[in-house]
Amino acid sequence: MHFILQKRISLFVLLVFLTFSIAKAQVSVSDTGSIQQIVQSLVSEGVVVQNINLNCPSGAYGTFADTTNTLNIPNGLILTSGSIFDAPGPNDAPGIGTDNFSPGDPNLDSLILSTGASTQDACFVEFDVIPSSDTLQFNYVFSSEEYLEFVNAGFNDVFGFFISGPGISGNKNIAIIPGTANTPVSIDNVNNVSNSAFYVDNGDGSTPALNPNLQYDGFTTVLTAKTPVIPCQTYRLKLAVADVGDGILDSGVFIEKGSLGSFGARILPKSVYTRFEYGVEGCNNGKFVFIRTIEPSFPVPLRWDLGGTAQNGIDFVDINGNPVGDRDTIPAFVDSIELFIVPIDDTIVDPLETIVLTLFDPCDDTTSVPTGDSVILLIRETFVYDGGPDDSVCVGEAVELNSNFLDSDSIVWTPGNSLSCSICPNPFASPQITTNYIVQVQDSVTKCLALDSVEVRVFNFPLANPVSFSDSAFTVCNGAPIAVDLNVVPDSSYNSLIYSWDSTTALVLSPDSSRSVLRTSVDRYFPFEITNENECTSRDSILITVFPKTDIFLEDIPDLCFGDEVFIEPDLLTYPEYSYSYEWIPIGSDANLEDISNPNAASSTIKPQGSGDPSYEYIVSNGVCNDAILIEFEVKEEIEVDYIYENLGEFPLAPIEVNFENNTFLMFRYNYQWKIIDAENNVLIDSFETENLDYVFNYPGLYGIELQATDLLFGCENSISFTEKINGVIRPNVITPNGDGFNDFFEIQSPPSQVWEISIYNRWGHKVFSSENYQNEWAAENLNSGDYFYEMRLRESDLRYKGWVKVLK
């Protein structure tokens, strides 16, 4: 009771896994199909079954299919002591079973009498079987969930194959352990200890299954149930399985489809001439050999049907020229007989015809339906000759044609123009294009002819047309990588290529690719090989020419004041055998092309147009190597010099004082110098180091006024200048006081604010006019024409003028 209780608890807990186990199974089961169809499917040859009877609970029997080779039986009938749906794997539970609460079987009970136990949940099928020979046999596998926990524990689940009939006493169990007289196959008799050679362990379900395709914890190897019988007699066969001790854990038996048979003779199709295994029209006969398979004291009656594509009496006859008969007998104590087939040369092109011989049931001479063994004899127009395998060759090379030649055969190859010999069995072929060679052979014994063909495929050698992604001339600057593609010309004669670069002396980035990156510091050849699938190899190389780099040296670049320019002449290390070009390129927003005096010269004057940090790239090229340096300047900010002064009007007259006010941006950062220049003669008149300037222009003239600002920290300076004309007092030198209103008076042109004191004298020095506040009123009244002299003084000033004036009346 202890074991039963433990088994019931396990069953209860693990039944929940049933659906999952079926879903994952690779050994599949089905309960569809009638028992009549299932039993008939077990039959192969030499057996007739009838009167089929089933006694199984629902779901306890059905069919199985094993595509995993777990059982080594592909399909057939399954009988269980529970449910067939407990059979599929994986083995993921320690105890799986279905208790059908159904009775046992007395035949199975008889197998376990010595244990004192009884069977339950029995499932069996029984039927009549009529064998055609003296032996009946079929294949099976027994399996159980009782393994291994319940071996020799009173749960010796058992099955049996019972046969009764002529020559057999009672019900004989033929499911016995090989090599024993009557030991039945059961849990206790076949396991890991007893008869272990017939046992396969599948784990206990608590760890991963040793074979995940079956739920049962163990099963037997493929066993054969076999028993002697009397040919053509009727026997009753019963296949049964049951639980022992309880109805919980299941056992099952798998019976192979098509393994139930009784064979009196087997048939072999043969050829009269041993070189062939078939008949050849007009030159070689075929034959069927009937070989006894039962003990020699029985004669074996044979009756057959001839089918296939060849017609009896038209395409073939017997050795007497008559249609081939349909029956014969293997006499007692004779091992075999032969049925000769003579193929007729009908001149009709049928490359392959068949004669199908099928035996009838020897126990029933009345039926017209063949039921026994069936074989095929082939009839050919010519015999099959192996001209050798197809081959391939590189264009211009030769390959040997290896035919399966016998020394006594005669042979002819066509076309023969590219062969070393057209009547040799193994000539050398040197085709220029893919060629199909036809070989005709005649057998020396039968004079049978044969044809075959051998295709020699011609492969062209790969043709490379290397290209460079960076330089079409394969030139490179010193040490720089160059990307190369071998650029193989497409060719339909091959499909795949293998590439190999020789990288022993230089760098090859991808030595087994058509595209690679090469690097070298000196002129160098890079060898490569290209091989197609027929090992046609092309060898070539690429010359990489290396150009030297130009070394560029440049002294320190000085900082520049705004508006400065500097002459840049880099020191270059060049090579006379190469020609060079030069380029100056402004970089960034602070530099412009206008800054460069000659953008394509070896040296150039740089005058930045603005302030900031202008940069210029200087490039020297020899056609391959482009070497460059970056020339960077720091240009000081422009000094924005400016000044203002009062408006002098349209005609400023001397003397005049002007106030010049310095209006320079960020004025406090600089020192200043004012310059007053005689602009007509470009002569410096006065210079003042002061921020602002008050200056009196005493005399008329064209003056230049310049303000210069100097940044003492960097030495940068800037200036602003302009010219201003200062006019003098205008005095006439001729007057015509005739009353016409034009030039009648001595008029002094000067600013209205100026008050002049004047005295006029005649040629003898006598004063003729004077005024302390002259108002341009003197017209030489009462005076004669002639020359007069004057003196003028600006009141409150030392400014004086002397001159003469001519009076014309």
Side-chain angles (χ1 to χ4, degrees), residues 23-34:
K24 293 174 62 178
Q26 295 186 45
V27 175
S28 60
V29 297
S30 173
D31 59 355
T32 61
S34 68

Side-chain angles (χ1 to χ4, degrees), residues 222-507:
V222 179
L223 302 176
T224 300
K226 185 175 182 180
T227 185
V229 290
I230 299 174
C232 303
Q233 298 297 309
T234 300
Y235 293 84
R236 189 66 173 173
L237 185 62
K238 178 179 180 180
L239 315 177
V241 62
D243 285 330
V244 175
D246 64 19
I248 299 176
L249 302 184
D250 290 353
S251 294
V253 61
F254 300 86
I255 303 164
E256 183 177 8
K257 178 181 179 180
S259 66
L260 179 60
S262 180
F263 313 100
R266 60 187 179 92
I267 319 165
L268 292 178
K270 292 282 189 179
S271 164
V272 172
Y273 182 41
T274 56
R275 179 178 182 180
F276 311 138
E277 294 182 354
Y278 43 83
V280 182
E281 289 186 7
C283 62
N284 181 60
N285 296 337
K287 61 181 178 180
F288 293 102
V289 181
F290 301 91
I291 302 172
R292 170 191 296 276
T293 60
I294 63 176
E295 65 93 18
S297 62
F298 289 95
V300 181
L302 304 170
R303 187 165 66 91
W304 57 80
D305 173 73
L306 294 176
T309 60
Q311 300 183 50
N312 192 2
I314 297 176
D315 295 313
F316 62 92
V317 292
D318 63 16
I319 56 176
N320 296 315
N322 300 317
V324 177
D326 63 354
R327 65 190 63 210
D328 205 338
T329 299
I330 303 176
F333 303 105
V334 174
D335 291 333
S336 64
I337 62 172
E338 296 178 339
L339 175 66
F340 289 94
I341 303 296
V342 180
I344 298 174
D345 187 1
D346 54 11
T347 70
I348 299 173
V349 179
D350 294 316
L352 181 66
E353 295 178 300
T354 60
I355 302 174
V356 181
L357 187 149
T358 306
L359 290 176
F360 287 92
D361 180 3
C363 300
D364 183 1
D365 195 36
T366 62
T367 181
S368 61
V369 179
T371 58
D373 195 9
S374 180
V375 295
I376 299 175
L377 176 67
L378 301 180
I379 303 297
R380 298 184 177 275
E381 293 281 337
T382 63
F383 74 88
V384 178
Y385 179 80
D386 182 9
D390 292 342
D391 213 330
S392 56
V393 67
C394 301
V395 63
E397 297 181 353
V399 63
E400 185 179 13
L401 305 183
N402 295 306
S403 67
N404 186 22
F405 184 74
L406 297 181
D407 290 341
S408 56
D409 292 342
S410 61
I411 191 169
V412 176
W413 292 89
T414 56
N417 56 352
S418 58
L419 297 175
S420 61
C421 173
S422 61
I423 59 174
C424 303
N426 301 312
F428 285 91
S430 304
Q432 295 300 305
I433 60 174
T434 297
T435 302
N436 194 44
Y437 293 96
I438 307 299
V439 57
Q440 177 177 291
V441 180
Q442 186 174 46
D443 176 69
S444 61
V445 175
T446 63
K447 304 304 179 183
C448 291
L449 295 176
L451 291 174
D452 196 13
S453 64
V454 176
E455 182 183 65
V456 177
R457 184 179 176 187
V458 177
F459 285 76
N460 295 324
F461 288 92
L463 177 61
N465 184 24
V467 296
S468 168
F469 295 109
S470 54
D471 187 284
S472 59
F474 298 99
T475 55
V476 66
C477 192
N478 183 24
I482 181 170
V484 174
D485 188 347
L486 293 180
N487 190 30
V488 176
V489 177
D491 194 305
S492 60
S493 73
Y494 50 78
N495 298 314
S496 61
L497 296 172
I498 298 174
Y499 303 91
S500 176
W501 294 84
D502 181 2
S503 59
T504 58
T505 58
L507 173 63

Side-chain angles (χ1 to χ4, degrees), residues 62-84:
T63 58
F64 73 92
D66 177 15
T67 61
T68 67
N69 294 323
T70 296
L71 300 170
N72 290 316
I73 293 178
N75 46 30
L77 167 66
I78 177 175
L79 303 174
T80 73
S81 62
S83 170
I84 63 174

Side-chain angles (χ1 to χ4, degrees), residues 124-137:
F124 67 83
V125 60
E126 56 183 347
F127 48 86
D128 290 341
V129 56
I130 303 174
S132 63
S133 70
D134 64 346
T135 302
L136 182 67
Q137 65 182 37

Side-chain angles (χ1 to χ4, degrees), residues 32 68 93 150 169 214 322 329 424 528 548 600 709 760 788 809:
T32 61
T68 67
F150 300 101
S169 175
L214 191 68
N322 300 317
T329 299
C424 303
F528 62 84
N600 298 111
I760 302 175
Y788 295 85
K809 289 186 175 183

Side-chain angles (χ1 to χ4, degrees), residues 468-603:
S468 168
F469 295 109
S470 54
D471 187 284
S472 59
F474 298 99
T475 55
V476 66
C477 192
N478 183 24
I482 181 170
V484 174
D485 188 347
L486 293 180
N487 190 30
V488 176
V489 177
D491 194 305
S492 60
S493 73
Y494 50 78
N495 298 314
S496 61
L497 296 172
I498 298 174
Y499 303 91
S500 176
W501 294 84
D502 181 2
S503 59
T504 58
T505 58
L507 173 63
V508 179
L509 184 61
S510 302
D512 57 355
S513 173
S514 66
R515 292 186 175 187
S516 189
V517 175
L518 314 179
R519 188 192 297 271
T520 179
S521 58
V522 297
D523 293 357
R524 188 186 304 278
Y525 283 94
F526 285 80
F528 62 84
E529 291 184 354
I530 309 173
T531 304
N532 61 28
E533 60 261 43
N534 197 52
E535 298 186 356
C536 302
T537 300
S538 296
R539 297 173 178 85
D540 205 343
S541 63
I542 297 173
L543 172 61
I544 305 299
T545 303
V546 178
F547 276 55
K549 297 180 66 175
T550 300
D551 293 326
I552 307 173
F553 304 96
L554 190 64
E555 295 182 356
D556 292 340
I557 302 299
D559 293 341
L560 299 180
C561 293
F562 181 84
D564 286 355
E565 63 181 35
V566 61
F567 181 71
I568 303 296
E569 185 177 14
D571 185 12
L572 305 177
L573 176 59
T574 58
Y575 301 87
E577 63 267 31
Y578 301 101
S579 60
Y580 293 87
S581 62
Y582 311 91
E583 186 175 11
W584 299 75
I585 301 174
I587 305 296
S589 60
D590 291 336
N592 298 283
L593 190 60
E594 292 77 12
D595 303 348
I596 308 166
S597 64
N598 193 339
N600 298 111
S603 58

